[in-house]
Amino acid sequence: MKSRTLPVFSLLVIVALLLAACGGTPTTTSPTQPAAQPTEPESESQPTEPPAQPTEALAASEVPAGTEAPAATEASATGGNLIYVLPTDIASLDPHALIETVSGMVDLQMFETLLALLPDGSVGPRLATEWSVSDDNLRWTLKLREGVVFHDGEAFDANAAKANFDRILNPDNALPAVRVLAGVTEVNVIDDFTLEIVTQAPFGPLPFHLAHYSLAMVSPRALQEMTPEELAQNPVGTGPFRFVSYTPNESIVLERFDDYWGEKAKVDMVTFRPIPETAGRALLIETGEAHIAAKIAPQDVDTLRGVDGLHVDVNAFPRVIFVHMNESHAPLDDVRVRQALSWAVDREAIANDLLRGLAVPATGPVGSGVFGYSKTENYGYDPDRARELLAEAGVEGLTLKMLVPAGRYQGGEEAAQAVQAQLANVGVTVDLEVLEFSTLLQAIRKPAAESEWDLLVFGFIPATNDADWQVYSQFHCDSQAPVSNNFSYYCSEEMDALLEQGRFTMDQDERLKVYKQVIQLALDDAIQLYLFENTDIYAVRNNVQGLVYMPIDYQFLNTVSLSGGD
Amino acid sequence: MLRVILSRLLQAIPVLFGVSLIVFLLLRLVPGDPVSTFYGFDVGRVEDLQAMRHQLGLDRPMLVQYVDFLADAIQGDMGTSIKTRRPVATELVRYLTNTAQLAVAGMIFAVVGGILLGLIAAARRNSIWDNLSLAISLAGISLPIFWLGLMLVWIFAVQLSLLPSGGRGDWHNLILPAITLAAPSVAVIARVTRASLMEVINQDFVRTAYSKGLSEAFVLLRHVLPNGLLPVITVTGIQFGYLLAGTVLTETVFAWPGLGRYLVDAIKFRDYPVVQGGVLVIALIFVTINLVVDVLYFLIDPRLHSEAAK
């Protein structure tokens, strides 16, 4: 027995050690890898050279920059490696295949759109310098910037832009970006630096759409030579940063693009690190392993505020959390009942006490940073009035089924419970059901006749930062679920006329006036029950300078620099 | 010998087939689908959803989809992730490597720590050392991984700034997650080692060894330990399976990009090809581990030889 167990055991140990050794220096497996990087554990201050290889499978084993603890705090006055913590991994490096802002944030460092959002929420020039619309409001002419080159050396011109739009508009490609171009019928080259975009009907929000990250310009050569799978891993844009490497769930590394036409990046490199755990994000910034951490959880704010060397930025974030009231179900078709429910909810208490001031009571359906926002008077907290209205409508012993997506919105579930308690106070019983997001979608994307819920907690931020994106999809008769986001099954001619006017109007100031009426009508009809606006919380080391927050949660990092200490 | 392996391999086929079918059906029975999850509320037109479903082949009859999946999987093609549009097979290899790295590092901690604690406890039975070893084992098995992990991070990353708080990198990044992962296994291995060694310590040949004047350390390491290790090896094998499968919590705490986290994300997203491929690969791993264990037993236990010969 002795003679057998000992060898077996030693074998086991040897195998284990071998495996560990292979795991520790994992550059051995792929023939395409550059030679193993000497990774001295002591050399913590120097930013590690990222792998020159793009993304392939075993690049995963390369040592990603930024994993060494104090690198972040010891960046020099010029350049340095900016380490930015993301709340999730990115989905794709192909902007046309994107649908969410985390990927959008990363892609916008490497790619540029024709127009771009400005910090005040309006739209300004980027790859296009000026734009105008024809007299029939159907033809938009854009002057393109000259002297812009892609990271692969290709020149940017009208043909390059057209190649991008053609790719998106081709229905065979089934690219998510097409949703931002709905209504655009064709894109024409007028001359080398003039582009024409033709829409089916007048479409006032178009400039905001052209600033959306999924309409970013990809090198025409890349579009021609790469498959969709390759494009998803090899981004080639015109932005201030150039792609270096991507290791899924670990890091995305970018470096400064020296031939950038605009304000050149101040840092040498940017490393994005996706950390889905909220506690993990807070820790990375606390230990100084990162410079900027996005989406800090409310429970971590107090701790981080007590840490030296960093500050916490609580930004308004124009996502409004509200409750859809299913008007296909009696008695919610009665405006008095909807108003009663609106009066019964104490928004101040929810925002200030329950969510500890990290939320702002909503004034209406549209968030405060969005183009089209107007300050309006939301329903106050008046349970007596709620009871009167319910009595007037002849409603007694009402029981409603409320759906909430799990973990989707900051404060969403807590607020739903508060609403449940506050409605109980006026005699309305709420059965609360928390559903996983995919399951919830399945349950609500149905025509009115099949809907089996009364209240639905919902959050929305218009991806284009233009109110049209939100209100048209939520209030128009033609947008009723399952087609789009009108889950209230609301329908009124007055509203439809206003929404269409908002689209047909080209003058942006005029559009603002239209949306003010839309918002007021939404409140009068109590289409939804508006709760609060989320905030967007960032933790930033003090040596980070020049960080400018955009209204939707992204930043352009070329303006950011790192100073010596912190 | 060869017959045993062959018969085990043949038995594995219906298992893998069954697993693939169950996963395929379960995924489609659960409410929600990848395309509407992908778009969320950011939908322009319903036609866009339909176009994407068509492009992904999700509008075909279920049977066709299943046969297609199976035919591709047999050739090693697991399809393309709906979320990332990257090949599933490549992704699985990457994340599996990361998880294996963590599990092996955890195993080393578990084996070394467990045997050491068990040896001390057995050698100094009912002493303070024995009790201390018991206390450490108990703590290891009772502490929730989340809490233990965060505590270790708080001490070694936040307070002492000795180790990184998470993520993958060089061997520094492995230490804390490996310890966290190993804690429950240390306890199990320590208890088994103690019990097994105590049996050996009481045997005649150990007394003989002592009476020859050999030192205690020599007797323990050369005579007692090797003879008491068989049950430890069995337990270690089982624990390794647990470590491979149980990394998801540790991966979450330490932002370790492993298979567990990857699969949980894929399930949330209803990323059909990823979940199907991932579960199939895990099933394959378990089948392989079982096969290896069977073969090992066969090699160690002579009685099995004679049975096979009949």
Side-chain angles (χ1 to χ4, degrees), chain A residues 110-112 127 148-151 156 217 237-240 257 260-261:
Chain A
M110 295 177 282
F111 292 100
E112 290 178 295
L127 289 181
V148 175
V149 285
F150 287 97
H151 301 158
F156 170 75
M217 294 292 125
T238 60
F257 176 49
Y260 181 57
W261 60 268

Side-chain angles (χ1 to χ4, degrees), chain A residues 1-2 4-6 8-9 12-13 15-17 19-20 22-26 39-42 44 55-64 67-70 89-92 97-100 171-179 181-183 212-213 228-229 232-233 246-250 273-277 279-280 283-284 286-287 289 405 408-409 436-442 444-445 456 458-461 463 469 473 482-485 487, chain B residues 28-49 51-53 55 80 83-87 90-91 93-95 97-98 100-101 104-105 107-108 111 115 146 149-150 153-154 157-159 161-174 205 221-223 225-233 236-237 240 251-258 261-262 265 267-270 296 299-302 305:
Chain A
M1 180 173 189
K2 201 173 86 180
R4 280 223 176 83
T5 48
L6 201 58
V8 170
F9 178 68
L12 195 81
V13 169
V15 168
L17 286 173
L19 280 171
C22 296
T25 51
T39 48
E40 288 176 50
E42 287 81 21
E44 283 165 325
T55 58
E56 254 329 293
L58 285 149
S61 359
E62 288 291 317
V63 178
T67 38
E68 298 166 10
D89 195 16
I90 57 170
S92 177
L98 283 188
I99 198 124
E100 36 81 44
D172 294 340
N173 293 335
L175 287 163
V178 76
R179 77 200 189 281
L181 278 184
H212 189 268
Y213 52 74
E229 285 73 23
Q233 303 181 47
Y246 169 45
T247 313
N249 273 313
E250 283 187 51
R273 294 185 60 190
I275 308 283
E277 259 292 301
L283 274 169
L284 277 181
E286 192 178 343
T287 56
E289 290 167 76
R408 179 88 180 167
Y409 308 120
E436 187 229 355
F437 187 61
S438 296
T439 313
L440 178 100
L441 279 176
Q442 176 101 342
I444 62 174
R445 241 183 226 304
L456 164 67
F458 197 94
F460 202 87
I461 175 169
W469 185 268
S473 78
V483 174
S484 191
N485 295 331
F487 294 106
Chain B
R28 279 150 183 89
L29 283 175
V30 173
D33 81 296
V35 173
S36 51
T37 309
F38 181 84
Y39 273 95
F41 297 131
D42 218 354
V43 186
R45 299 168 301 184
V46 191
E47 301 97 89
D48 299 342
L49 296 192
M52 192 169 166
R53 280 201 190 97
Q55 197 202 29
T80 310
K83 188 179 180 189
T84 64
R85 303 201 177 196
R86 285 191 294 267
T90 326
E91 298 274 279
V93 168
R94 178 209 313 275
Y95 290 111
T97 313
N98 293 349
Q101 211 180 355
V104 168
M107 205 63 239
I108 293 172
V111 169
I115 291 182
F146 255 100
L150 286 176
V153 167
W154 186 75
V158 180
Q159 295 301 318
S161 297
L162 282 176
L163 294 166
S165 65
R168 228 177 122 263
D170 54 21
W171 59 272
H172 286 93
N173 299 61
L174 258 178
F205 75 90
L221 292 178
R222 185 71 191 86
H223 294 289
L225 196 57
N227 281 294
L229 270 187
L230 194 60
V232 177
I233 290 172
T236 304
F240 189 64
E251 285 169 10
T252 307
V253 173
F254 291 96
W256 190 268
R261 242 178 80 201
Y262 179 58
D265 285 347
I267 290 169
K268 278 197 216 156
F269 193 83
R270 308 284 189 272
L296 270 183
L299 288 177
I300 289 170
D301 195 334
H305 282 277

